[in-house]
Amino acid sequence: MAEYISKIQEISKKILQDGKVDIVIGFSDGSLPMASRPCFIKSPEDTGKLIFDGNCGINLANYLTGKKEKIGIIAKGCDSRNIAQLIVENKIKREQLFIIGVPCFKMIDKRKTSLLFEEEITQVTESDDKIIVKGKNKEKTFNREDMLQENCITCMHRNPVIYDELAGELIKESDQKAEYEDVKKIEAMSSEDRWNHFSEMLSACVRCYACRDACPLCYCPTCFVDESSPQWVGKSADNQIDVKTFHILRAFHCAGRCTDCGACEKACPMGIKVRKFTRKLNSDAMRHYEWEAGLTTDKRPLLDNFRVNDYQDFIK
Amino acid sequence: MSKDIVGSVVVIGGGIAGMRSALDLANSGYYVYLVEKSSSIGGVMSQLDKTFPTNDCAM
Amino acid sequence: MDESKCVGCGACAEKCPKKITDTYNMGLKDKKAIHVEYPQAVPLKYVIDPNNCIYLQKGKCGACKKLCPAGAIDFEQKQETLTLNVGAVIFSSGFNPFNPSALDSYRYDYRPNVITSMEMERILSASGPTGGHLVRLSDKKKPKKIAWLQCVGSRDMNRCGNPYCSSVCCMYAIKEAVVAKEHSEEGLDCAIFYMDIRTPGKEFEKFYNNAKEKEGVRFIKSRIHSIQDIVNSDDLRISYLDEDNKLQSEVFDMIVLSIGMEIDKNIVKLSQKIGINLSEGNFCKTSTFNPLETSRKGIFVSGAFGGPKDIPQSVVYASGAACAASEILSPARNTLAKKVEPIPETSVIGERPSIGVFICKCGSNIAGVVDVGKVVEYASKLPFVDYAAENIYSCSQDNQDGMAQLIKEKGLNRVVVAACTPKTHEPLFQETLTSAGLNKYLFEMANIRNHNSWVHKDTPELATLKAIDLVRMAVEKVAIAKPLSETELEVNQQALVIGGGIAGISAALGLASQGYDTYLVEKNNRLGGEANKIFKSANKENVQKELTSLITAAQNNDKLHIRLNSSIVNVKGFVGNFKTVIASDNKEETIEHGVSVIATGGTASKPSEYLYGEDERIITSLDLDEKFINNDKSLKKVKSAVFIQCVGSREPNRPYCSGVCCTHSIINALELKKINPDMNIFILYRDIRTYGEKEYLYHQAREAGIIFIRYLAIDKPNIKIENGKISVTVYDTSLNKYLEMEADLITLASAIIANQDQKLAKFFKIPVNEDGFYIEKHAKLGPCEFATDGVFLCGLAHYPKPIDESIAHGKGAAAKALTLLAKKKIRTSGTIADVEPLKCSSCGVCVSICPYSAPSFIPDDARFFAGKAQINPVLCKGCGLCVASCRSGALRLKGFDNDQIFAQISAAFEKAA
């Protein structure tokens, strides 16, 4: 991890000094433990602030939309896929970017850790397979594997898919196929059970839109929930139909584009498992079209294609 | 010269080919007579079920 | 029947007491003596069969006349003879499906479960006699086993005198088998008994492979001579020799005879009378380089009359014939065609909506179910409705005139017609609005027939309520409709043809000879393309001689501007207004043109097997042509020649059939026989695909002693060179043993591949399929054009094809281009997509998803909204794909605006008062 950090700092310093980029977007220490935060470095002298650890789950691609300057960016596997996606969707140009690729050692779930520790966390130290959590009164060591973000557990693309330089050696990716067991479980429910399941899950939603704001795919000038002419969906959190409409529609807007980076779920203050919707769509994209978002800058997302003469599947 | 040439065409047969010829000519500025022996146009194609490859209804 | 009066309500047929055989349903159903051919018939006018009408035969009945609400029945009508003075004639008299009754051994007339493929089409059709349920005719049982017998009435000179191949039967039999399997819930065994499977068309081979491998259709190579009855059973037995030469006997529930095409005897007589020469098979005789002309000047041929053809081929030849006719008539263009005078439009902006609602009874079609009076009463009370009335037939001419009158008198500024479907009738009513000076988009239709009275016959009260709901929705929508404008755009009267092969020259000549300046761009230093390398055509004409005269015609046409050694550097613009930069000999010129024809062609591939390139005696078909063209003396010395078919075609990595190679090899083999009649010639093939009248060549070749040996793809011929001698080993599937033959000439029928040009595809935004060929607008109905307006397609760039088909395709593309040039102006539709740039996120979904290339990005150097999407109104078809795909909500469809749709939705859930 220390090597990653020094390499990130070294590359960032160099590209800022050489004028290759105007700014580097990376992570710095947060004011609280387990809350590494995005930071924007403009001068080579400040590159020492850059860090990288298991708490860098925020998707930095989110800061690229519409930027005009040249940007250096730290990219995990998922960030890089979203960067590729943004390039395809004209949100940023490849030439504007210097991508510092970080093969990802999977991110830690802060909420899970806090729950298990049952006391305010004052300090966390990480090693390759352990995390040591300290509070005022106790110290506890966890297996890193047990504390991972849920999307990281099933991650198939830890290596960045596009980068200009790497901050560490590429990792051997999992050779298992994505199984989507979580999705299958929900698919197996009766439609009534499923409705109740989602109703229960979404009842906590306060319509703060943190999930939307954390998502690099949500870059519309006016989000459909904010639109008043026409008003597609009611704005109150009290109307459960409106709440469901928001979540389901938002998920559909991500169909064929979502990289399952987990930013939405991480951002939710109410701990709602909003990935359940996008996971279903990702699994359908895989099942029917063998499609995973953001793996290339050559192809438009899955649902951006249409042919007048589309063949029925009996031909293929 | 155009005085000797008549700007109209008769198309014999109202099947898929006859209809196509007639339409193309009518759309390029000619007066077209489409002659069909039965009471409606469409020919054999109108009797087919689905057509390869789009599986569209032939109708 | 007075056609101008009949409104197609069907009251007459309902009461007509006389039943006759329904020929549309191949006699599997009855219809009345007064009838329409089929419900969707155009024109939808009832006719009386005079031979069966009781009144016309016996002078009694006349029920229809009493009933007809339109007074359209006229028993006094007599046959008339009209004399038409025309500039040209196009003969597209089509074909008759072969009648298998004469072939006694197939038991067609005796056994109900022996049917023809045409009958099978009707049985599979939802509008057919069984309502689309696959049942056999004897006992209405669902069949478990069906056999198709190929070549019934085709490739048969002994029993029916039709030696030619009907070209389409293999493909339709496969289609029927696959569709039949889809129809069957319990699983269905489909077996096709064939001599050669002939699937040489575009995407056909893939379909065949799929039927065989994925759908499990059985293909059995055996010609069945007879069908055996089974005593006390409706089942049928077939005996055949299987691949191992063992006698098999199978019982089927149903047998479909794949009947071929025949020219009607009356057409044969007529042709002879008017001086149209016919071929051996009674099809219209044409030549390779004039595939659309009959022997009589001014009479052209299209469709199956010119030889057995499938639908796309018929469409290609039809457009080609239109071009050929137009070429001789072009000085008289627009002399007889009629034009409509425009009527000035009154502005309704700022006016309070004043809606007129017309509820159609459609005879008894609607009024028989829906209480129309009640709907009118309801409609008259709706907001902004200032007039509501009913019509017996809203579409009749007097009602149209009346409607226009009312719009003017009452000052109506919005109209709703509750009647049938907008698909057929919206343009008619819109025309009425236009004639009354009202913008035609201030109109809405409510479909209370197809969506209501037809489907809710049994619940008339509910149907009336539904009609009320539909009318209310339409009124709410039209109340906020805005007048939409259609802009006009000039069509540049020049044309660009890319590719100077046979197809390209034909297209260019088709346009240039009609007075349009046409630029023909060829990358090589001479015109003619692949045809420069071909010796003889399938009609045994000298290709070089004919090609020279074609090229000379092109060179001598002063409207045709040839650019050799040239390439396309850039293309800007769109239909009607292209700007293309052509580079030739280091200099660039910019051509402005209204239409573009893509004829970039294909080329013979270089084989990578059979020791090609290792011995000069192993050559390709075109190499052999070159020897013929050069009168190569060495050919005289050849004692044994072997042709190997499907070299690089019908292989896993190139699954398509190259279409022309079987014929090509046979012509060349016959040519070798001519040079040296003692030469031993072997053609090693998988299926011989001499479709259509090319089958005669196959006969000739067999009669000339050329030996055909069928090999299997899994055990291909093997070539060895030892001590300078070439030997070929092949497993003969009919003898079931390996044969070895010596050869001093081996000709490989190499595959035809497309000349791929990614840049061109990008310039014109035209799609390419997996095999590298361009994808036309519609596989069946649009073979000469692309989905993108103003761009046309012909020749090998579309798919491998012989010279005559390339020429027809070239002329076909020219005919389609001509329809655009002849318009001089393009009128855009009013219902098109529109961008609100402030909401656009520039994500590009619309640009990617539109099949017509209508959306694009505003250029980066634009002053406003750079990078946002914009819609080209000329290219937009108003399909709404982009609107539905736009996550940002930046797109809307004029005429179907969000507020209109919302108004309709909320109106749908309002309760009728």
Side-chain angles (χ1 to χ4, degrees):
Chain A
M1 208 172 301
E3 297 127 59
Y4 267 35
I5 295 173
S6 61
K7 190 81 187 170
I8 286 170
Q9 293 179 350
E10 179 197 317
I11 300 169
S12 304
K13 192 167 194 171
K14 196 178 69 201
I15 55 178
L16 279 166
Q17 268 167 354
D18 296 351
K20 275 191 183 159
V21 299
D22 306 317
I23 190 169
V24 171
I25 305 178
F27 290 96
S28 66
D29 272 324
S31 45
L32 293 169
M34 302 195 79
S36 304
R37 61 187 178 197
C39 85
F40 302 82
I41 306 288
K42 287 189 175 167
S43 106
E45 292 86 65
D46 293 339
T47 45
K49 287 184 190 166
L50 290 167
I51 59 120
F52 193 81
D53 60 18
N55 301 307
C56 297
I58 288 170
N59 192 330
L60 295 181
N62 201 21
Y63 299 102
L64 293 180
T65 288
K67 293 289 183 300
K68 296 283 173 255
E69 58 269 61
K70 285 185 189 159
I71 300 169
I73 185 165
I74 315 299
K76 308 181 289 289
C78 50
D79 305 54
S80 78
R81 288 171 66 195
N82 275 105
I83 292 170
Q85 186 74 27
L86 290 174
I87 291 169
V88 172
E89 295 182 3
N90 305 310
K91 295 277 80 67
I92 191 94
K93 292 196 172 76
R94 179 68 182 91
E95 311 82 80
Q96 276 175 272
L97 297 176
F98 190 97
I99 303 168
I100 304 167
V102 186
C104 177
F105 39 76
K106 300 193 171 186
M107 294 295 135
I108 298 164
D109 189 329
K110 185 184 170 190
R111 189 169 282 118
K112 210 187 266 179
T113 317
S114 308
L115 276 173
L116 287 171
F117 193 65
E118 295 167 332
E119 188 184 301
E120 192 187 343
I121 298 169
T122 54
Q123 197 197 347
V124 175
T125 34
E126 287 179 58
S127 70
D128 282 352
D129 53 354
K130 296 272 186 289
I131 45 174
I132 304 152
V133 183
K134 281 183 192 156
K136 273 195 189 125
N137 308 311
K138 61 177 179 182
E139 181 180 311
K140 225 170 164 181
T141 303
F142 295 102
N143 277 333
R144 199 167 196 284
E145 217 169 84
D146 302 331
M147 293 294 122
L148 295 177
Q149 280 186 199
E150 270 176 35
N151 63 308
C152 294
I153 296 170
T154 53
C155 179
M156 313 291 292
H157 299 282
R158 295 159 64 192
N159 289 319
V161 294
I162 45 168
Y163 53 82
D164 295 292
E165 207 168 330
L166 285 174
E169 270 177 46
L170 292 176
I171 295 168
K172 191 180 175 298
E173 300 278 12
S174 159
D175 45 15
Q176 279 172 321
K177 267 195 97 173
E179 293 297 345
Y180 292 102
E181 293 300 340
D182 48 337
V183 175
K184 285 178 192 159
K185 220 183 268 172
I186 296 174
E187 283 170 341
M189 291 180 188
S190 70
S191 60
E192 200 191 344
D193 287 351
R194 198 152 52 223
W195 178 258
N196 293 335
H197 174 76
F198 286 136
S199 298
E200 168 79 27
M201 177 180 114
L202 293 174
S203 62
C205 178
V206 293
R207 301 282 295 267
C208 70
Y209 304 135
C211 50
R212 177 195 72 186
D213 293 345
C215 177
L217 299 175
C218 282
Y219 51 64
C220 288
T222 311
C223 177
F224 72 95
V225 293
D226 299 324
E227 183 64 74
S228 50
S229 162
Q231 186 174 341
W232 302 104
V233 55
K235 296 191 194 318
S236 154
D238 299 335
N239 184 327
Q240 284 300 308
I241 294 291
D242 285 338
V243 170
K244 286 192 189 78
T245 307
F246 159 61
H247 282 283
I248 292 169
L249 230 60
R250 195 190 87 78
F252 269 106
H253 281 185
C254 301
R257 304 163 68 225
C258 173
T259 60
D260 201 20
C261 72
C264 47
E265 210 160 278
K266 192 180 175 70
C268 180
M270 308 304 288
I272 300 171
K273 305 275 186 203
V274 287
R275 281 173 52 252
K276 280 190 182 168
F277 296 117
T278 46
R279 288 277 294 167
K280 161 68 178 159
L281 293 163
N282 287 359
S283 115
D284 283 352
M286 193 57 172
R287 190 185 311 166
H288 300 301
Y289 305 100
E290 285 173 26
W291 173 263
E292 288 179 283
L295 295 186
T296 158
T297 52
D298 308 333
K299 278 190 187 154
R300 291 288 313 185
L302 181 63
L303 296 180
D304 288 17
N305 293 296
F306 175 80
R307 235 194 250 166
V308 182
N309 290 355
D310 208 22
Y311 293 125
Q312 304 274 342
D313 45 331
F314 76 90
I315 300 281
K316 294 261 167 182
Chain B
M1 181 178 164
S2 66
K3 273 184 190 152
D4 310 327
I5 301 176
V6 183
S8 63
V9 182
V10 63
V11 176
I12 300 167
I16 179 67
M19 292 191 292
R20 188 69 266 160
S21 292
L23 278 169
D24 285 346
L25 283 164
N27 286 333
S28 12
Y30 299 101
Y31 195 91
V32 183
Y33 303 92
L34 180 59
V35 181
E36 164 60 40
K37 70 167 187 275
S38 80
S39 63
S40 62
I41 53 175
V44 177
M45 187 175 170
S46 71
Q47 290 173 279
L48 304 183
D49 172 32
K50 288 170 180 163
T51 60
F52 162 86
T54 46
N55 228 355
D56 285 340
C57 164
M59 189 61 73
Chain C
M1 179 67 67
D2 185 339
E3 258 191 80
S4 60
K5 287 187 186 154
C6 173
V7 286
C9 70
C12 50
E14 215 169 287
K15 287 280 146 33
C16 175
K18 177 78 180 176
K19 282 184 182 173
I20 61 169
T21 310
D22 181 358
T23 44
Y24 172 76
N25 277 306
M26 302 308 294
L28 301 177
K29 223 175 158 177
D30 287 337
K31 63 181 176 189
K32 299 293 182 66
I34 186 161
H35 60 268
V36 279
E37 284 286 291
Y38 49 97
Q40 302 92 331
V42 177
L44 193 66
K45 306 285 177 190
Y46 279 73
V47 287
I48 299 170
D49 177 352
N51 299 323
N52 283 298
C53 170
I54 300 171
Y55 183 87
L56 291 175
Q57 290 298 320
K58 296 178 183 157
K60 280 187 283 190
C61 183
C64 48
K65 187 166 182 149
K66 282 170 224 152
L67 268 164
C68 179
I73 312 283
D74 176 8
F75 289 120
E76 305 305 312
Q77 263 185 345
K78 288 275 170 308
Q79 187 169 328
E80 282 175 75
T81 304
L82 300 174
T83 305
L84 303 175
N85 188 20
V86 294
V89 177
I90 291 180
F91 232 91
S92 53
S93 47
F95 65 93
N96 284 347
F98 177 79
N99 179 356
S101 294
L103 305 179
D104 233 20
S105 61
Y106 287 141
R107 313 293 292 148
Y108 173 67
D109 283 352
Y110 310 99
R111 307 295 297 182
N113 296 332
V114 178
I115 62 170
T116 68
S117 45
M118 283 301 290
E119 290 166 333
M120 188 62 175
E121 291 285 341
R122 296 314 306 149
I123 289 173
L124 293 172
S125 169
S127 71
T130 57
H133 297 288
L134 176 55
V135 291
R136 63 182 197 172
L137 296 175
S138 66
D139 50 12
K140 304 281 180 263
K141 257 200 232 153
K142 290 179 187 169
K144 293 209 167 60
K145 273 179 79 136
I146 308 180
W148 276 258
L149 308 191
Q150 296 308 104
C151 301
V152 176
S154 312
R155 299 184 72 187
D156 180 355
M157 44 189 176
N158 301 326
R159 295 199 293 176
C160 68
N162 292 344
Y164 53 82
C165 160
S166 291
S167 298
V168 301
C169 329
C170 284
M171 209 39 204
Y172 75 57
I174 300 172
K175 178 205 72 176
E176 286 181 359
V178 170
V179 175
K181 273 180 171 279
E182 276 172 17
H183 274 254
S184 167
E185 292 126 24
E186 294 106 37
L188 176 70
D189 174 65
C190 293
I192 298 180
F193 292 86
Y194 70 98
M195 295 204 284
D196 296 280
I197 285 293
R198 294 189 168 169
T199 47
K202 192 173 185 176
E203 307 278 345
F204 286 12
E205 190 73 9
K206 213 187 271 175
F207 190 63
Y208 166 40
N209 289 335
N210 192 68
K212 196 162 52 175
E213 285 148 23
K214 292 204 184 127
E215 304 285 344
V217 176
R218 289 190 291 143
F219 288 85
I220 300 155
K221 186 177 161 65
S222 177
R223 174 153 211 171
I224 306 299
H225 55 75
S226 56
I227 295 170
Q228 295 142 256
D229 294 353
I230 299 173
V231 183
N232 296 329
S233 165
D234 292 327
D235 299 348
L236 302 145
R237 187 188 302 281
I238 293 177
S239 303
Y240 62 93
L241 283 181
D242 67 9
E243 295 270 326
D244 299 324
N245 283 332
K246 281 202 194 95
L247 186 68
Q248 299 285 354
S249 169
E250 261 191 75
V251 174
F252 291 92
D253 298 316
M254 258 171 95
I255 290 177
V256 182
L257 304 176
S258 293
I259 50 172
M261 297 182 177
E262 239 176 12
I263 297 301
D264 193 289
K265 287 199 176 60
N266 292 321
I267 295 295
V268 174
K269 269 188 224 152
L270 177 64
S271 305
Q272 284 157 350
K273 196 168 141 193
I274 62 176
I276 294 178
N277 292 345
L278 299 181
S279 69
E280 232 175 303
N282 278 339
F283 294 94
C284 179
K285 193 168 187 157
T286 55
S287 67
T288 302
F289 279 77
N290 284 309
L292 304 157
E293 285 176 30
T294 69
S295 51
R296 175 139 179 209
K297 215 168 174 294
I299 302 186
F300 302 90
V301 55
S302 84
F305 179 47
K309 277 181 193 60
D310 61 4
I311 296 166
Q313 283 279 49
S314 296
V315 172
V316 165
Y317 275 69
S319 290
C323 176
S326 185
E327 278 179 50
I328 61 165
L329 299 184
S330 66
R333 183 196 300 281
N334 290 326
T335 52
L336 294 174
K338 291 166 186 166
K339 274 207 173 124
V340 190
E341 284 303 311
I343 293 158
E345 194 178 297
T346 45
S347 168
V348 300
I349 308 259
E351 274 181 33
R352 169 191 177 279
S354 170
I355 305 171
V357 182
F358 299 87
I359 317 281
C360 185
K361 290 178 149 180
C362 197
S364 61
N365 261 313
I366 293 169
V369 179
V370 173
D371 184 344
V372 172
K374 212 166 161 185
V375 182
V376 171
E377 197 200 317
Y378 176 82
S380 65
K381 290 176 191 151
L382 285 169
F384 301 119
V385 173
D386 291 341
Y387 182 82
E390 61 182 45
N391 297 129
I392 297 180
Y393 290 105
S394 302
C395 57
S396 68
Q397 193 53 51
D398 50 333
N399 271 322
Q400 294 290 293
D401 297 342
M403 204 184 287
Q405 201 57 41
L406 274 163
I407 291 170
K408 284 188 228 162
E409 271 172 26
K410 308 256 173 201
L412 303 175
N413 58 22
R414 305 279 193 286
V415 173
V416 170
V417 173
C420 50
T421 163
K423 194 159 185 181
T424 55
H425 280 69
E426 190 175 61
L428 180 78
F429 294 121
Q430 285 188 324
E431 215 172 279
T432 307
L433 262 70
T434 308
S435 74
L438 207 54
N439 183 287
K440 72 178 196 190
Y441 296 100
L442 298 170
F443 173 73
E444 196 59 37
M445 262 184 104
N447 190 342
I448 60 167
R449 190 186 71 181
N450 309 34
H451 290 173
N452 190 25
S453 66
W454 277 0
V455 288
H456 303 303
K457 268 202 174 81
D458 304 331
T459 48
E461 288 89 27
L462 287 173
T464 303
L465 284 179
K466 182 168 170 181
I468 283 173
D469 286 345
L470 290 168
V471 168
R472 184 178 58 242
M473 288 165 70
V475 166
E476 291 278 346
K477 185 184 174 205
V478 85
I480 47 176
K482 297 177 191 82
L484 302 179
S485 60
E486 299 179 340
T487 40
E488 262 189 348
L489 204 91
E490 301 274 336
V491 176
N492 183 298
Q493 296 288 294
Q494 299 198 119
L496 173 72
V497 178
I498 303 167
I502 287 265
I505 302 174
S506 303
L509 263 176
L511 293 163
S513 63
Q514 302 192 47
Y516 295 98
D517 278 291
T518 304
Y519 291 83
L520 179 59
V521 179
E522 166 57 43
K523 67 175 180 215
N524 292 317
N525 59 4
R526 62 168 176 172
L527 294 180
E530 289 295 291
N532 282 309
K533 306 174 193 161
I534 299 172
F535 179 53
K536 274 194 177 167
S537 71
N539 290 325
K540 297 189 188 159
E541 295 121 325
N542 181 326
V543 171
Q544 295 313 306
K545 197 178 130 219
E546 300 281 345
L547 180 62
T548 308
S549 57
L550 184 69
I551 292 174
T552 311
Q555 285 162 342
N556 291 344
N557 190 313
D558 56 2
K559 288 280 182 186
L560 212 171
H561 315 292
I562 300 165
R563 298 287 183 270
L564 298 176
N565 298 315
S566 301
S567 60
I568 306 294
V569 183
N570 198 6
V571 180
K572 277 191 180 150
F574 48 88
V575 55
N577 297 276
F578 290 104
K579 259 190 199 158
T580 298
V581 183
I582 303 170
S584 20
D585 302 326
N586 297 328
K587 67 172 194 283
E588 289 191 352
E589 61 180 324
T590 304
I591 309 289
E592 292 189 9
H593 53 107
V595 294
S596 316
V597 180
I598 311 292
T600 46
T603 186
S605 64
K606 289 281 168 230
S608 56
E609 51 189 337
Y610 299 120
L611 306 179
Y612 179 73
E614 291 179 28
D615 191 296
E616 58 179 16
R617 291 166 293 177
I618 303 175
I619 60 176
T620 66
S621 303
L622 286 181
D623 296 335
L624 180 56
D625 279 31
E626 195 185 341
K627 287 183 193 287
F628 287 135
I629 292 170
N630 297 332
N631 207 0
D632 191 325
K633 297 282 181 274
S634 70
L635 291 176
K636 255 203 152 77
K637 293 180 202 138
V638 174
K639 289 199 185 75
S640 170
V642 173
F643 289 82
I644 301 177
Q645 298 306 110
C646 298
V647 179
S649 305
R650 303 180 67 193
E651 295 274 0
N653 59 347
R654 195 178 292 132
Y656 62 89
C657 162
S658 292
V660 300
C661 341
C662 284
T663 310
H664 196 178
S665 291
I666 288 174
I667 294 166
N668 283 355
L670 284 166
E671 202 57 36
L672 285 176
K673 271 280 178 198
K674 219 162 80 185
I675 293 174
N676 175 8
D678 295 329
M679 195 186 297
N680 288 322
I681 301 179
F682 305 91
I683 296 185
L684 315 185
Y685 71 100
R686 288 173 57 192
D687 290 283
I688 287 291
R689 294 185 163 174
T690 44
Y691 57 92
E693 292 196 280
K694 297 179 185 77
E695 181 73 4
Y696 290 102
L697 288 168
Y698 185 24
H699 277 282
Q700 281 172 30
R702 281 181 173 271
E703 273 165 21
I706 291 162
I707 294 165
F708 288 81
I709 300 168
R710 178 167 166 260
Y711 74 87
L712 296 174
I714 43 163
D715 192 2
K716 291 203 273 188
N718 192 20
I719 299 181
K720 263 191 312 207
I721 308 178
E722 266 171 3
N723 306 325
K725 280 190 174 168
I726 307 179
S727 68
V728 184
T729 319
V730 59
Y731 186 80
D732 184 325
T733 56
S734 48
L735 297 175
N736 285 341
K737 55 171 76 143
Y738 284 97
L739 302 177
E740 192 177 337
M741 57 205 86
E742 244 179 59
D744 30 30
L745 180 70
I746 292 182
T747 308
L748 306 177
S750 61
I752 294 180
I753 50 177
N755 291 331
Q756 287 203 46
D757 189 339
Q758 294 295 338
K759 234 168 56 185
L760 209 59
K762 219 169 188 172
F763 284 154
F764 287 104
K765 301 176 186 110
I766 45 182
V768 177
N769 74 5
E770 286 165 13
D771 302 326
F773 297 101
Y774 286 116
I775 302 174
E776 62 275 36
K777 182 178 182 178
H778 190 283
K780 280 257 167 322
L781 303 176
C784 306
E785 63 255 56
F786 284 103
T788 305
D789 278 348
V791 192
F792 304 90
L793 169 67
C794 60
L796 268 55
H798 162 263
Y799 193 70
K801 50 176 72 69
I803 293 173
D804 46 355
E805 291 174 30
S806 288
I807 290 175
H809 206 192
K811 291 225 185 271
K816 303 310 288 184
L818 215 68
T819 59
L820 202 65
L821 292 169
K823 271 191 210 162
K824 293 206 171 80
K825 279 177 188 164
I826 318 169
R827 235 186 132 84
T828 64
S829 164
T831 41
I832 50 172
D834 190 34
V835 185
E836 282 181 60
L838 283 174
K839 288 186 187 169
C840 173
S841 62
S842 307
C843 72
V845 178
C846 51
V847 176
S848 164
I849 209 160
C850 177
Y852 313 106
S853 314
S856 61
F857 295 113
I858 297 174
D860 282 340
D861 54 2
R863 266 186 77 193
F864 299 107
F865 304 126
K868 304 284 184 182
Q870 60 183 355
I871 303 290
N872 185 333
V874 182
L875 296 177
C876 180
K877 308 266 189 236
C879 71
L881 258 181
C882 59
V883 182
S885 316
C886 181
R887 293 181 289 269
S888 310
L891 280 153
R892 61 192 196 103
L893 187 59
K894 291 184 194 170
F896 293 86
D897 239 326
N898 292 327
D899 54 351
Q900 288 182 285
I901 309 273
F902 276 120
Q904 263 186 309
I905 295 171
S906 33
F909 293 105
E910 263 170 44
K911 275 269 169 287

